[in-house]
Amino acid sequence: MQLISRCLLPLALSLFAWGHTAVADDPIAAAIASTRMPADRIEDAWRKPHEVLRFLEIAPGHHVLDFYAGPGYYSELLAHIVGQSGQVLIYNNELYNQAAHNGLTSRLARKRLPNAVRVNAPSNYLKLAPGSLDRVLIVLTYHDIYWQPGDAPEPMGDPEKVLRILREALKPGGLVVVVDHLANPTARENITSVANRLHRIDPQVVRADFERAGFAFVDESTALRHPDDDHTKSVFDASVRHYTDQFIYKFRRP
């Protein structure tokens, strides 16, 4: 038994070292393995951050915008990946900022993410330096541009205006990845109604919006598809919560 143990020990040490090397060589894996907020690790199971961030083609040194970032689950991962030479803009409008205040304040306390900057502005008037961004990430929130909350006189944003702002802020060749809850095919006049009731969006609407704004469709990932999801249910329904059928689209600024 001792002889077997002596034989297996070098193998075990080798595998341990290989595992650490593999994480060190993969900035995304290293970010996921880093010290993070405890609740984030629970969300990892359904968010699949490695697949999403790999699809974004994020790398050290990038400047990236986390659009409608909420409490910053992805903002923190992005900050670890881009490192000191990069920057993360954590963007929320006033409604998102109010909802995410406590979580985001805790996340940024004691300068935990020194390369992250909070940005608060109405969606149609977001100010970004032209050609300043390498990547934009929009996770489960693009439909909220069409959402008309409460007694608001209009939806939270105008897709044409918002995408023009993002396009101008991206460098040529810059990428946008959109993750969102899938809705059944929707006529354009019904998009806000679906967003209000179900918090979903027809992926063809998203693609049409981006292509109309001058973006080129690049690719689609199926990492978060859940075919058994009932697309007529609200994403907050307990039977589908966190496991809705989600599409992941990638667009490039030419």
Side-chain angles (χ1 to χ4, degrees), residues 183-199:
N184 290 327
T186 307
R188 184 155 287 275
E189 63 268 21
N190 296 327
I191 299 172
T192 290
S193 174
V194 171
N196 287 349
R197 290 185 296 107
L198 307 179
H199 289 272

Side-chain angles (χ1 to χ4, degrees), residues 189-230:
E189 63 268 21
N190 296 327
I191 299 172
T192 290
S193 174
V194 171
N196 287 349
R197 290 185 296 107
L198 307 179
H199 289 272
R200 296 175 181 264
I201 192 165
D202 176 357
Q204 292 309 308
V205 169
V206 177
R207 180 166 178 173
D209 284 354
F210 273 83
E211 291 181 337
R212 191 180 300 112
F215 288 87
F217 178 77
V218 177
D219 200 3
E220 175 183 6
S221 168
T222 60
L224 291 172
R225 293 302 304 271
H226 294 281
D228 294 336
D229 172 31
D230 182 348

